[in-house]
Structures are given as C-alpha cells and as structure tokens.
Amino acid sequence: PADRTHMSARQKHEERSNSSSEYRSDDDYAWIPWYCSLEGNEFFAEVDDQYVQDQFNLTGLGQQVVYYDYALDMILDVESTDEILSDDQQEMVENDAETLYGLIHARFILTNRGLHAMLQKYRNCDFGICPRVLCEGHPMLPMGISDTLNEE
C-alpha cells in the first residue's frame, strides 16, 4: 500500500514478509549487503562504505582481530593479490571479517546515520513483533548485555 503511516506494526511486518523480491543492483552483491541479508544477521544495519573506509572509525580494532587487514579488504570488496591463503587461513579471514563487521557496526549505530538506520529497521519491524496479546503487535528492539567481544 502507498500509505504505510496508518498500518499497524503487524501489517507492516506481514507486508515485508510477503513482498516479492525485486531486481538487485551490483551493490546488493557487495560483501556488506550480502552479509546483512544472511539468515541470523537481520539485526545488522548496513554500514556505509564511507564509514568503514575512515580510519578514525576503526581505531583500536586492529588489536581485536588477527587478520585485520585481510578482513577489512573482504568487507570493502578489495581484491588482495599479495598472498595466496590456505583454506584454513581463508576461513579464519572470513570469521575475522564477520567479527570486524560486528565491531564496526557497534560503533556505527551510535552515529546519527546509524541511529536512523536502526530506527528504520525498528519501524519496519525487522526485529520482530511482540507475541503478547496486550502488546498489540508492537515492534521489538534487540538488546545486548555487553559490548565486549565474545561476552554474553
């Protein structure tokens, strides 16, 4: 429907779930949109490439990720021809890219653009709707107990 302002949260959620897939551009096949579209990654907002490329935003993350440079290149879709990695190393780079993206995302959602992206996901019921009857299909928010890596 053209006017989504008067739709309930449940209707918006159902409309999104039932909508057919549209034509995707090349940008949709970049690492960030691909990663965010994977099942289980629905809570991630797509971080702008500009944000990821700004070294100030990445300060201190190199110490938390072993294959930082390779992982960052993977996130930014930069083809690295310097070294050929073994399958085990490639798997570790992929894991580090996921970890690094999570760390970058945690910082991004504290910016104005990040907050706006998360607000849109909330309004679209991307985080689900409350199953309780008295909530009347109110959108939910994800919550993290800790911002420390690998800590629940």
Side-chain angles (χ1 to χ4, degrees):
D3 184 17
R4 291 176 47 103
T5 56
H6 299 310
M7 294 174 68
S8 72
R10 183 178 299 276
Q11 288 170 324
K12 289 179 186 177
H13 180 71
E14 288 172 359
E15 179 183 277
R16 288 192 71 250
S17 298
N18 295 333
S19 67
S20 61
S21 62
E22 298 175 5
Y23 175 77
R24 294 180 174 230
S25 69
D26 288 343
D27 288 341
D28 290 333
Y29 296 104
W31 191 91
I32 293 174
W34 168 80
Y35 181 71
C36 291
S37 71
L38 293 176
E39 187 174 337
N41 293 347
E42 299 87 8
F43 292 177
F44 284 111
E46 290 186 22
V47 178
D48 301 335
D49 281 346
Q50 290 172 310
Y51 186 87
V52 178
Q53 292 171 354
D54 186 344
Q55 290 301 311
F56 177 78
N57 299 325
L58 308 177
T59 302
L61 298 182
Q63 289 80 33
Q64 297 183 47
V65 179
V66 177
Y67 288 99
Y68 174 81
D69 291 324
Y70 289 109
L72 186 58
D73 286 349
M74 181 176 284
I75 290 170
L76 293 172
D77 296 311
V78 175
E79 292 294 323
S80 177
T81 57
D82 297 343
E83 244 180 87
I84 296 176
L85 302 173
S86 70
D87 288 344
D88 288 341
Q89 289 174 320
Q90 184 63 32
E91 186 176 335
M92 290 170 61
V93 168
E94 291 170 9
N95 289 336
D96 280 357
E98 293 175 11
T99 299
L100 180 59
Y101 186 77
L103 294 168
I104 293 169
H105 179 268
R107 292 180 178 187
F108 175 72
I109 62 174
L110 299 176
T111 67
N112 285 336
R113 288 181 299 178
L115 287 169
H116 182 72
M118 295 304 278
L119 176 62
Q120 288 305 111
K121 291 179 84 57
Y122 171 78
R123 287 181 175 162
N124 290 336
C125 302
D126 289 351
F127 307 121
I129 54 174
C130 183
R132 299 174 68 190
V133 174
L134 295 176
C135 289
E136 298 177 352
H138 197 277
M140 293 192 300
L141 279 174
M143 184 190 86
I145 308 252
S146 172
D147 61 356
T148 305
L149 186 61
N150 296 325
E151 183 178 305
E152 292 187 24

